[in-house]
Amino acid sequence: MTEITARIVPNLWFDREAEEAAAHYIAAFGGNGRIVATHAPHPDAPSPQDVPVLVEFELGGQLFVGINGGPHFTFTEAVSLEVRVTGQQELDSVWAALVAGGQEQPCGWLKDKYGLSWQVTPNEYFDMLGRGDVEANRRLDAAVLATFGKFDIATLTRAYRSETGG
């Protein structure tokens, strides 16, 4: 695999599930990732854990670090990871894998079983927005705001085209 040269590396705080979560995320993206390294706690640490303290993993070329730091901090919706997908089939596949054991949220967001928020957004949405039709973009945004759970690309497309005739 290619060497990862990311300068900005998201660090995700877990209680004790960093390695499990990394494997889950790699599977959710069809194996497009890998665990790069795991780091055991220092043997002289006051209370050594039976799990790695750090898990470095790659998803789609982006490096992440999972920290097994204990129950002190949890994820909030203030930070989310956006996944851009192409086509309804890819959207459905990624969505199903990430939401398993978690919760659907409004506007194409979900919270996974670890509490991490994700946005699964179709590239088709950005293609429509980029056309610069202000009225169509308003209808598109209204369709996004009316969505609970995953996006349906056909519904977004119909909303975008509804007054423009296509």
Side-chain angles (χ1 to χ4, degrees):
M1 290 197 155
T2 307
E3 182 179 332
I4 300 169
T5 59
R7 292 181 59 193
I8 299 173
V9 179
N11 281 243
L12 306 173
W13 186 287
F14 296 90
D15 182 358
R16 302 175 50 81
E17 310 89 0
E19 193 166 21
E20 173 189 315
H24 175 74
Y25 298 145
I26 292 165
F29 289 95
N32 186 13
R34 64 191 170 111
I35 293 181
V36 176
T38 58
H39 304 279
H42 190 277
D44 294 333
S47 56
Q49 301 177 3
D50 58 352
V51 295
V53 69
L54 296 177
V55 178
E56 295 180 83
F57 63 100
E58 172 202 351
L59 292 176
Q62 173 65 51
L63 184 63
F64 292 84
V65 173
I67 303 167
N68 283 318
H72 313 293
F73 301 108
T74 58
F75 296 115
T76 74
E77 293 83 353
V79 173
S80 64
L81 300 178
E82 182 181 20
V83 181
R84 294 191 180 182
V85 297
T86 300
Q88 193 67 47
Q89 184 176 356
E90 184 181 14
L91 191 153
D92 292 348
S93 175
V94 170
W95 181 275
L98 289 174
V99 80
Q103 302 173 317
E104 293 188 350
Q105 302 288 308
C107 304
W109 288 38
L110 65 88
K111 222 185 246 193
D112 70 22
K113 64 184 178 180
Y114 305 103
L116 183 59
S117 292
W118 295 81
Q119 301 173 59
V120 183
T121 312
N123 285 314
E124 293 83 349
Y125 167 78
F126 295 102
D127 292 343
M128 288 183 271
L129 277 181
R131 295 179 191 152
D133 183 329
V134 174
E135 289 305 315
N137 286 352
R138 285 187 182 135
R139 291 190 304 274
L140 180 60
D141 286 344
V144 166
L145 291 172
T147 300
F148 188 89
K150 75 176 175 177
F151 288 125
D152 178 82
I153 296 170
T155 299
L156 297 179
T157 302
R158 279 193 301 277
Y160 181 85
R161 294 181 176 168
S162 71
E163 294 178 16
T164 63

